[in-house]
Amino acid sequence: MSIADDPDRAPARSHLYAMGMTDEDMRRPVVGIATTWTGTMPCNLTHRELAAHVAEGVREAGGLPMEFNTIAVSDNLTMHTPGMRASLISREVIADSIELMGRAHGFDALVAIVGCDKTVPAAIMALARLDVPSVVLYSGSMMPGRWRGRDVTIQDMWEALGEREVGRLDQAELDDLARHACPGAGTCAAQYTANTMGTVADFLGLAPFGVGDIPAVAEEKNAAARRVGQVAMEALARDARPSRVVTEDALHNAIVSVAAMGGSTNAVLHLLAIAREAGLPLEIDRIGEVCRQVPIITGLKPSGGDSTALDLWRAGGTSLVVRRLLEAGLLRENVTLVDGRTLADVAADARETPGQGVVASAAEPFKRRGALAILRGSLAPDGCVLKLGGKEDFRHEGPARVFDSEADCYVAIQEGLIVAGDVIVVRYEGPAGGPGMREMLSITGPLVGRGLGSSVALVTDGRFSGVSHGLVMGHVAPEAYHGGPIALVRDGDTIVIDSAAGTVDLVVPAAELAERRAAWRRPAREVERGVLTKYVATVGSASDGAVTA
Ligand code: FES
């Protein structure tokens, strides 16, 4: 019974009248519109405007839109500060808050407007929990900046730090780049974590193909948002709820998209978490298997080439990627897309700009190897994620340089104490240890800038920005905080990384390791308060998605 017709809901009606609603409004299906608008970052700045257009689409299709918003944490703004610990934790808070609003208000359908990195998986996790017909609207990428005649993104900013340190740029040039790198609203402008997860939302079937890859400030975005409002009502009519959309086959396609587009290692965490919320089986090794079989077919930064998200959209967008992947037989077609199309429809609808050089075929890809690999070994018995970035298989053996925090390592790099051949180990940065798995961009950017990106390996129980590249392995599990082998490494120990064998090993005699284990004590740290305390008490292994439920 609607609120308008339930005698006992008169008090509720009084509040709805207070918002200008009529009895007729109250008899319409209610579509919740969750936005992650946050005025602290460019990534999600357009969400309120988009929400208004979604609401219009909902109304046109006969529904009653009700907007609400939740938080978001910018990875870029918090990087290299203690605030970075909040980033991954925010995924859980966002998921919980959308879930709570859904449970409280009993929306008939939901639209989630997402942008910055954590907001995308968080919303999908919440929608899976609520399981009402749902649509994801990815708000879109930032335009690239222009500097010295070339397109630049936030990746260039971080690498410029290293170039300043070795004297290739001075501070004035760095500041000038900062003024040009990010020209307006939108998410980081290539296949970093946000765009990777936006694409995941497409391939999971929750976001209509062709909407997410419209840049945030393109005028086409508002019309697309209005259409999303209508799609939500159509999804309601078809009962296209997440449990019918996010299936094993859809999850497989999402993993393929990460591999084929050179996506971020953070996708591993988020795919594991989404699978868990959707009740689907997914082991971390399965992601590695798919990535081994799928080449990188887009020439996007940072793994496939030098193109930006804008270039991808101009070339034909993710719909064109669907066409290429279908041609290669890499996608499972027995999936439900929220807008009622099939993958074959999406491929047929795809436009390809003549002469485009961003989306290739699987037969002639940009890189024959996928974006990432899963390694196991004596240093990571429960697995870790290697950012392969399309590189050929490699073997790296070197002495460990151990740091108990990202900040200590950053200082050592600045002082020139890291040399070619080293294996940097940054630990106590895992889900519970950090807490919150800080991203290591303040390390990887300067390493690349100093020209050490391919000669120094980095192993951590923390994680990496989608912008990071180089010989980097993260998500080492078990983490140091829980006494994983990474906690036992000492300066000078030999570490061997073999991507072809899928192994990462600490070469220390077993007896010596047993002695170290017996002597190991978890390092004392400042007493955590508030949300950090709750997080440490509940968060699980990175190899299970670092979820808290
Ligand atoms: Fe928000 Fe990159 S920091 S998308």
Side-chain angles (χ1 to χ4, degrees):
M1 190 187 298
S2 75
I3 291 179
D5 301 312
D6 185 342
D8 294 341
R9 302 296 307 276
R13 279 197 293 281
S14 65
H15 267 191
L16 296 177
Y17 292 137
M19 294 194 294
M21 292 182 195
T22 64
D23 289 341
E24 190 198 336
D25 288 334
M26 292 178 221
R27 292 191 181 99
R28 297 175 189 271
V30 182
V31 179
I33 303 173
T35 86
T36 49
W37 178 86
T38 313
T40 58
M41 58 172 87
C43 327
N44 295 5
L45 268 187
T46 57
H47 287 199
R48 289 199 291 206
E49 190 181 347
L50 289 175
H53 287 279
V54 171
E56 211 173 305
V58 169
R59 266 190 224 98
E60 283 169 358
L64 174 66
M66 293 190 94
E67 296 173 36
F68 63 97
N69 82 285
T70 180
I71 65 156
V73 172
S74 157
D75 292 79
N76 187 61
L77 276 161
T78 58
M79 197 83 64
H80 199 34
T81 75
M84 186 69 222
R85 299 195 298 190
S87 170
L88 185 62
I89 298 173
S90 75
R91 187 190 71 184
E92 308 307 298
V93 175
I94 297 163
D96 290 353
S97 61
I98 294 175
E99 179 196 354
L100 282 173
M101 285 296 284
R103 288 193 190 284
H105 292 274
F107 301 121
D108 297 296
L110 269 159
V111 174
I113 304 177
V114 292
C116 195
D117 300 14
K118 306 307 164 298
T119 65
V120 191
I124 296 172
M125 290 160 70
L127 299 179
R129 291 177 195 170
L130 292 165
D131 202 29
V132 295
S134 302
V135 190
V136 171
L137 168 55
Y138 181 65
S139 55
S141 181
M142 186 184 284
M143 296 293 188
R146 289 291 291 176
W147 193 63
R148 294 185 172 174
R150 65 185 172 99
D151 282 349
V152 288
T153 70
I154 196 67
Q155 179 180 339
D156 297 270
M157 277 313 315
W158 282 98
E159 290 172 7
L161 281 182
E163 293 183 40
R164 180 196 59 184
E165 284 158 23
V166 296
R168 282 204 293 272
L169 283 180
D170 62 26
Q171 187 63 43
E173 291 173 303
L174 183 68
D175 292 341
D176 190 47
L177 174 58
R179 287 188 194 94
H180 290 88
C182 299
T187 59
C188 294
Q191 203 64 357
Y192 312 128
T193 304
N195 281 331
T196 299
M197 294 311 299
T199 309
V200 161
D202 288 346
F203 279 80
L204 282 176
L206 287 170
F209 277 98
V211 173
D213 44 26
I214 301 172
V217 298
E219 61 184 45
E220 292 90 337
K221 198 80 192 189
N222 288 341
R226 188 163 156 175
R227 171 73 190 128
V228 164
Q230 295 164 351
V231 168
M233 290 297 289
E234 292 165 14
L236 177 61
R238 289 199 318 277
D239 196 26
R241 55 185 65 226
S243 57
R244 298 176 64 189
V245 173
V246 183
T247 59
E248 272 193 79
D249 285 346
L251 190 60
H252 171 85
N253 291 345
I255 301 169
V256 169
S257 78
V258 173
M261 299 179 73
S264 160
T265 49
N266 284 313
V268 175
L269 278 180
H270 301 324
L271 286 164
L272 290 165
I274 290 166
R276 190 177 165 125
E277 300 288 2
L280 299 172
L282 180 63
E283 298 294 325
I284 191 170
D285 302 286
R286 171 78 185 132
I287 299 173
E289 278 167 30
V290 173
C291 288
R292 188 166 280 277
Q293 293 158 6
V294 176
I296 298 179
I297 65 164
T298 55
L300 294 166
K301 293 180 178 190
S303 295
D306 281 329
S307 297
T308 65
L310 174 64
D311 298 324
L312 173 66
W313 179 57
R314 285 179 171 157
T318 48
S319 302
L320 182 56
V321 176
V322 170
R323 183 191 286 172
R324 293 287 189 268
L325 292 173
L326 279 181
E327 286 166 357
L330 289 166
L331 294 178
R332 295 181 182 170
E333 293 194 61
N334 183 28
V335 292
T336 299
L337 305 182
V338 72
D339 63 0
R341 290 188 291 170
T342 64
L343 285 174
D345 293 336
V346 172
D349 292 347
R351 56 170 175 83
E352 178 170 7
T353 301
Q356 64 85 19
V358 185
V359 184
S361 68
E364 294 180 79
F366 284 91
K367 305 276 177 69
R368 299 227 160 256
R369 287 294 308 271
L372 48 91
I374 305 301
L375 308 186
R376 288 183 188 255
S378 59
L379 188 57
D382 292 346
C384 70
V385 181
L386 167 68
K387 186 153 195 168
L388 203 50
K391 289 187 287 292
E392 294 302 317
D393 277 320
F394 68 92
R395 187 178 185 283
H396 183 98
E397 177 173 342
R401 299 297 314 279
V402 183
F403 302 93
D404 283 351
S405 74
E406 181 212 25
D408 291 350
C409 180
Y410 178 71
V411 172
I413 293 170
Q414 277 188 315
E415 291 175 353
L417 301 178
I418 302 297
V419 297
D422 283 347
V423 179
I424 297 173
V425 176
V426 181
R427 62 192 180 190
Y428 298 106
E429 293 285 7
M437 288 187 89
R438 275 193 288 200
E439 294 184 342
M440 300 291 142
L441 187 53
S442 69
I443 298 174
T444 57
L447 278 177
V448 171
R450 284 172 171 265
L452 292 170
S454 57
S455 60
V456 170
L458 169 57
V459 181
T460 178
D461 51 8
R463 62 195 175 91
F464 296 105
S465 160
V467 172
S468 296
H469 59 114
L471 305 180
V472 297
M473 275 136 288
H475 313 195
V476 167
E479 60 176 301
Y481 183 83
H482 289 310
I486 191 173
L488 309 180
V489 184
R490 291 183 182 166
D491 275 337
D493 287 348
T494 297
I495 292 175
V496 181
I497 300 150
D498 189 331
S499 73
T503 54
V504 54
D505 287 308
L506 174 62
V507 186
V508 173
E512 166 71 16
L513 271 186
E515 265 181 44
R516 292 186 195 177
R517 178 163 298 289
W520 179 77
R521 299 287 177 273
R522 182 179 290 158
R525 67 178 182 200
E526 282 178 31
V527 177
E528 308 289 1
R529 301 182 64 193
V531 67
L532 298 184
T533 312
K534 291 185 212 171
Y535 189 77
V536 172
T538 54
V539 71
S541 167
S543 284
D544 294 324
V547 292
T548 54

